Amino acid sequence: DTAVSQTPKYLVTQMGNDKSIKCEQNLGHDTMYWYKQDSKKFLKIMFSYNNKELIINETVPNRFSPKSPDKAHLNLHINSLELGDSAVYFCASSRGAPPRAFFGQGTRLTVV
Amino acid sequence: GENVEQHPSTLSVQEGDSAVIKCTYSDSASNYFPWYKQELGKRPQLIIDIRSNVGEKKDQRIAVTLNKTAKHFSLHITETQPEDSAVYFCAAGYRDDKIIFGKGTRLHILP
């Protein structure tokens, strides 16, 4: 009964490949996010969706494409992976007012 | 722009002493300030938060203070314990429920 779950937990892939990370929340929240945490532990927002609608799209390369089939799911697809994409990617969700965000367990992506 | 500055980046305190982490934010429209704790290899977890209509909030050994005029907010941990060792992130909530994080403080509790 994990509140925010991501799969896979670990992902090792070669440069140039395309990969997806899935996220699901069972909290009934309306807003979902993707954050990237680099090797220095900085947490940077990438995207947010509210009720399947894209709300926030930070300056992220267009190789990254989020998709929200319904408000409980927000997946992240990455094309043409590069070495610099190696990081931990966290999905999160919040209800709003206030936006208390709950995080998934993270996906450690390693591009070789 | 939307920015959150956090200091210090690393903090070592003796077990039993207090720890203070300070943050500043850039947009006066921000009205929500959460704090997250991230243990090694784990997800960030919300430990306490404060809204802009409140100046201080306390939960057992943890307290947060907010100075809206100066755009400062702080986390205070008293009677620190070994399990308090972690990375702590402050954050500020902006419009559209956008949550911007500070760069984190690595807290070491020394025996």
Side-chain angles (χ1 to χ4, degrees), chain A residues 4-17:
Chain A
V4 183
S5 60
Q6 298 176 225
T7 53
K9 191 172 180 181
Y10 300 97
L11 186 52
V12 181
T13 188
Q14 289 189 323
M15 281 175 56
N17 283 352

Side-chain angles (χ1 to χ4, degrees), chain B residues 58-111:
Chain B
K58 192 172 181 181
D59 182 5
Q60 298 183 0
R61 297 186 297 107
I62 293 173
V64 290
T65 58
L66 170 65
N67 182 332
K68 275 218 78 176
T69 304
K71 291 189 259 183
H72 290 173
F73 58 115
S74 301
L75 177 72
H76 304 251
I77 307 174
T78 58
E79 299 171 22
T80 52
Q81 299 170 4
E83 54 265 34
D84 295 331
S85 293
V87 178
Y88 291 80
F89 293 93
C90 64
Y94 291 88
R95 65 182 181 92
D96 294 329
D97 293 343
K98 187 175 186 178
I99 306 169
I100 301 296
F101 285 82
K103 291 187 175 178
T105 296
R106 191 174 297 275
L107 176 62
H108 300 276
I109 306 301
L110 306 171

Side-chain angles (χ1 to χ4, degrees), chain A residues 4-67:
Chain A
V4 183
S5 60
Q6 298 176 225
T7 53
K9 191 172 180 181
Y10 300 97
L11 186 52
V12 181
T13 188
Q14 289 189 323
M15 281 175 56
N17 283 352
D18 303 338
K19 289 293 178 186
S20 292
I21 307 171
K22 295 187 175 182
C23 180
E24 176 182 4
Q25 55 96 3
N26 63 6
L27 296 166
H29 288 168
D30 293 324
T31 303
M32 295 186 72
Y33 310 81
W34 278 108
Y35 281 85
K36 178 180 179 181
Q37 186 169 46
D38 61 21
S39 57
K40 293 183 178 178
K41 302 298 183 188
F42 300 157
L43 269 168
K44 292 191 69 174
I45 190 166
M46 300 173 69
F47 303 101
S48 84
Y49 272 70
N50 184 283
N51 267 313
K52 304 191 298 176
E53 183 180 342
L54 179 66
I55 302 297
I56 296 168
N57 184 349
E58 291 295 284
T59 49
V60 177
N62 57 15
R63 297 182 295 104
F64 290 78
S65 53
K67 284 190 171 49

Side-chain angles (χ1 to χ4, degrees), chain B residues 19-78:
Chain B
V20 180
I21 302 170
K22 298 184 178 183
C23 291
T24 60
Y25 60 99
S26 57
D27 189 344
S28 55
S30 187
N31 61 6
Y32 174 64
F33 307 94
W35 286 87
Y36 285 79
K37 175 183 180 181
Q38 187 178 26
E39 296 176 348
L40 190 62
K42 301 282 182 68
R43 73 190 78 191
Q45 292 203 293
L46 180 69
I47 55 172
I48 195 167
D49 56 11
I50 192 168
R51 300 189 75 171
S52 59
N53 57 349
V54 175
E56 184 172 353
K57 184 176 177 180
K58 192 172 181 181
D59 182 5
Q60 298 183 0
R61 297 186 297 107
I62 293 173
V64 290
T65 58
L66 170 65
N67 182 332
K68 275 218 78 176
T69 304
K71 291 189 259 183
H72 290 173
F73 58 115
S74 301
L75 177 72
H76 304 251
I77 307 174
T78 58

